[in-house]
Amino acid sequence: MFILCGHSLALAQDSIQQVEAIEGDGIYSLLRRHGFAPSKYYQEFIELNKEKLKETNQLYAGGLYKIPDSTLAKAQTEVETTTEKEYPIFGEKHAKVERSSNRLQNTVYYLISGHGGPDPGAVERYKGKTIAEDEYAYDVTLRMAKELLSHGAEVFLIVRDENDGIRDDRILEIDHDEVVYPDKVIPLNHVQRLKQRTEVVNQLYQKNRGKYQRLIVTHVDGRTKGTNIDVFFYHHHKSKNGKRLAESIHETFKKKYKKFQPNRKYTGTFKDRSGLYLIRNTLPAIAYIEIGNIRSKKDQRRFLDPDNRQALAKWISEGILLDYETRLD
């Protein structure tokens, strides 16, 4: 485990300078390039530039951002414990994960993206190319995993693709080499696929007894032709913890829509779907999420844009944090 100690530094207004973000820059890489320890200066950077950041705290390439004078950073540099770890599953560009907090320390999250392997899930044509549910659900799930790891959680990716990683493309190429943790071949039969995932999660749950454990399942709906839907959530009607998890993420989405789309009413819901195989048979409290309808042109904008996929992952993760930090048990 990595230990992150928080440091807050008062920044004199006369020690501010502006620097340009280059293509591919994130806050951490920009700060590091200019001699700042990212874990110390991350929050200060956001405060200085909150009007210039994307809603997911991403930078605009070519944008000018305020940072403290570099001499201030050098004068106050301290030896700090490393808070960075690499996870190849996220791909070369996104492999490094910076610890931003310990808010989810001693928690375990199992993440399942829908379909995979021989089953791409719902498919649709977009600008002459086929897009598939499993690729977009997996990309959002990877981004979510990275968010949870950054807050100290232990994360198990149940459906895995060792060579995809997080992708910043609109069209995600379809492949069929996904496996189930750790390296199980995914069966063609639908019921056998669900049974395989259930058994893996339940075995891991038993091994981690005594820890705070939750399961998140991510799908892209494809049942209704052309109908746009807001993100919605399912849970088991007998699981108070599952209901609270789904409700916490749902409430987070309501607040985000109110902030970023004030003229549009959020219609996503959370409700009981105890009849679904994974909800009925897995042991951890579960939230089952549908992030949009792959057949809807409006919903396609939600998950084809990589920035929107990042926002989805960020908002889901914020809901997960809300659930954990307001728990009663």
Side-chain angles (χ1 to χ4, degrees):
M1 286 293 186
F2 294 100
I3 304 301
L4 175 63
C5 297
H7 295 272
S8 180
L9 300 177
L11 304 177
Q13 290 301 310
D14 58 356
S15 297
I16 302 300
Q17 62 175 327
Q18 287 191 326
V19 296
E20 183 177 354
I22 63 176
E23 188 70 34
D25 254 347
I27 295 176
Y28 281 99
S29 60
L30 183 145
L31 286 172
R32 191 181 294 111
R33 192 169 68 253
H34 291 279
F36 293 84
S39 61
K40 291 183 181 181
Y41 289 89
Y42 182 81
Q43 291 300 330
E44 284 84 355
F45 181 91
I46 290 177
E47 285 301 313
L48 285 170
N49 297 283
K50 56 188 176 183
E51 302 300 327
K52 298 182 178 180
L53 299 172
K54 298 181 184 181
E55 62 187 44
T56 54
N57 290 334
Q58 292 177 303
L59 307 179
Y60 292 95
L64 294 177
Y65 295 93
K66 298 176 182 178
I67 60 171
D69 189 282
S70 60
T71 57
L72 178 65
K74 292 175 182 177
Q76 302 191 34
T77 297
E78 300 175 9
V79 177
E80 64 172 7
T81 303
T82 180
T83 61
E84 184 177 270
K85 187 173 180 180
E86 288 199 7
Y87 296 85
I89 192 73
F90 296 136
E92 184 176 353
K93 180 180 176 182
H94 295 275
K96 292 181 180 180
V97 178
E98 295 269 7
R99 175 70 68 86
S100 60
S101 82
N102 291 322
R103 293 168 68 186
L104 293 175
Q105 192 168 344
N106 300 319
T107 65
V108 181
Y109 289 91
Y110 308 105
L111 307 184
I112 299 178
S113 56
H115 306 278
D119 175 24
V123 297
E124 186 63 33
R125 298 290 290 176
Y126 177 81
K127 293 187 176 180
K129 292 194 174 184
T130 301
I131 55 175
E133 170 183 1
D134 68 324
E135 303 296 340
Y136 292 91
Y138 183 64
D139 193 74
V140 171
T141 299
L142 283 180
R143 294 168 187 271
M144 190 197 321
K146 190 171 181 178
E147 288 288 330
L148 298 179
L149 286 168
S150 76
H151 292 293
E154 183 177 2
V155 177
F156 289 89
L157 282 164
I158 304 304
V159 175
R160 308 168 62 83
D161 189 324
E162 298 294 338
N163 56 33
D164 272 352
I166 294 172
R167 292 174 281 179
D168 295 320
D169 305 305
R170 292 181 64 81
I171 304 297
L172 301 184
E173 295 296 329
I174 301 172
D175 61 25
H176 303 282
D177 58 352
E178 294 86 6
V179 297
V180 160
Y181 179 90
D183 55 5
K184 299 177 183 291
V185 175
I186 298 176
L188 178 61
N189 179 270
H190 174 66
V191 175
Q192 290 302 314
R193 286 200 305 274
L194 296 176
K195 183 179 179 182
Q196 181 188 60
R197 292 165 199 211
T198 298
E199 289 176 349
V200 169
V201 168
N202 289 347
Q203 288 169 7
L204 290 168
Y205 179 86
Q206 297 291 357
K207 290 180 181 179
N208 287 295
R209 276 199 173 279
K211 297 181 181 179
Y212 186 93
Q213 303 183 65
R214 295 293 184 265
L215 168 61
I216 310 292
V217 179
T218 308
H219 275 264
V220 182
D221 188 71
R223 295 169 296 173
T224 308
K225 182 68 176 177
T227 302
N228 64 298
I229 58 173
D230 281 326
V231 179
F232 60 93
F233 312 90
Y234 299 144
H235 62 88
H236 195 292
H237 72 285
K238 290 185 178 180
S239 172
K240 292 181 180 179
N241 289 334
K243 180 179 180 182
R244 190 183 70 232
L245 175 60
E247 186 173 11
S248 295
I249 305 172
H250 177 257
E251 285 299 315
T252 300
F253 269 74
K254 284 173 63 177
K255 291 178 182 177
K256 295 295 185 180
Y257 268 70
K258 187 175 182 179
K259 178 179 179 180
F260 295 110
Q261 299 188 46
N263 297 321
R264 181 179 178 277
K265 183 180 179 181
Y266 175 66
T267 60
T269 60
F270 77 97
K271 59 184 179 181
D272 163 45
R273 281 293 298 275
S274 304
L276 292 176
Y277 190 100
L278 288 175
I279 294 179
R280 187 174 72 249
N281 292 291
T282 47
L283 294 175
I286 178 176
Y288 189 111
I289 305 173
E290 297 275 9
I291 63 173
N293 181 0
I294 199 169
R295 306 191 192 286
S296 164
K297 298 301 181 184
K298 290 184 178 179
D299 285 5
Q300 284 172 3
R301 290 197 294 269
R302 183 183 306 152
F303 51 81
L304 289 180
D305 187 328
D307 287 342
N308 289 341
R309 295 198 296 274
Q310 182 63 33
L312 284 169
K314 182 80 171 175
W315 295 1
I316 294 169
S317 300
E318 288 184 21
I320 290 170
L321 281 161
L322 175 65
D323 167 67
Y324 180 64
E325 295 178 337
T326 59
R327 67 194 186 281
L328 299 176
D329 53 324

